[in-house]
Amino acid sequence: MKLAEFNTADPAVAAALLRPCIDVSRWVDALTTARPFASRAALLDFAASAANPLTPAEVDAALAHHPRIGDRPTAAGTEAAMSRSEQAGVDPADFAAADALAEGNRRYEAKFGRVFLIRAAGRTAPEILGALYERIENSPATEDAIVAQQLLEIAVLRLEGVISE
């Protein structure tokens, strides 16, 4: 959708466009309420800080929509398509990487009680694995802040893909 269309869209239409980026009502509401944006850059800048910091409940709700790194969603929806595109650097045919990701995911989930989340777009499997094993060593408080920031980075990246100048 072009920025001009987004700026003038019915609030429900604008919200429906934003939800696949991150399903956090406070973020979606902030962006729809702040319209019109003078430029795409202004929209993206605002989106990066809207609803920041995310609350623990918002993080949990948003994570419910994210597959494990290495598990490609098979659903047909917009969010699943975005996730598949973001994980393009993880080759499902690389069984060694898939096994290492699966083991890292198990360890991460055992420690933190949620899926490992990273902005995977533009990253290779070895880069993701390195970050996964590095972050397993974090304290829960440190990891909470990183996950919230990663969610916002993913949201902005996805927004870049749905709003054009």
Side-chain angles (χ1 to χ4, degrees):
M1 176 180 279
K2 294 209 175 285
L3 178 64
E5 294 171 275
F6 174 73
N7 279 337
T8 59
D10 179 88
V13 171
L17 180 77
L18 295 171
R19 285 211 180 278
C21 298
I22 184 173
D23 195 6
V24 171
S25 294
R26 192 164 55 99
W27 185 83
V28 170
D29 293 346
L31 269 68
T32 56
T33 302
R35 296 176 305 155
F37 291 95
S39 66
R40 184 172 177 258
L43 167 64
L44 297 173
D45 285 345
F46 184 81
S49 61
N52 191 15
L54 296 173
T55 68
E58 290 169 335
V59 169
D60 290 345
L63 284 176
H65 299 280
H66 283 272
R68 286 180 182 87
I69 296 291
D71 291 353
R72 301 258 173 121
T74 57
T78 302
E79 224 171 331
M82 289 176 171
S83 184
R84 282 190 298 275
S85 174
E86 292 160 0
Q87 290 195 46
V90 180
D91 181 0
D94 183 347
F95 297 115
D99 288 347
L101 282 169
E103 176 58 26
N105 282 328
R106 281 190 290 276
R107 289 182 53 204
Y108 183 93
E109 290 170 20
K111 181 171 182 178
F112 296 108
R114 63 173 170 242
V115 298
F116 172 70
L117 181 83
I118 189 168
R119 183 192 46 77
R123 291 187 168 137
T124 64
E127 290 170 330
I128 293 168
L129 273 168
L132 171 58
Y133 281 98
E134 181 180 304
R135 285 177 45 194
I136 287 172
E137 302 305 318
N138 287 340
S139 70
T142 297
E143 192 57 20
D144 288 349
I146 291 170
V147 169
Q149 189 57 43
Q150 289 293 297
L151 279 167
L152 288 173
E153 286 182 25
I154 291 166
V156 171
L157 182 68
R158 289 177 172 184
L159 186 59
E160 286 178 15
V162 297
I163 302 287
S164 63
E165 198 66 55

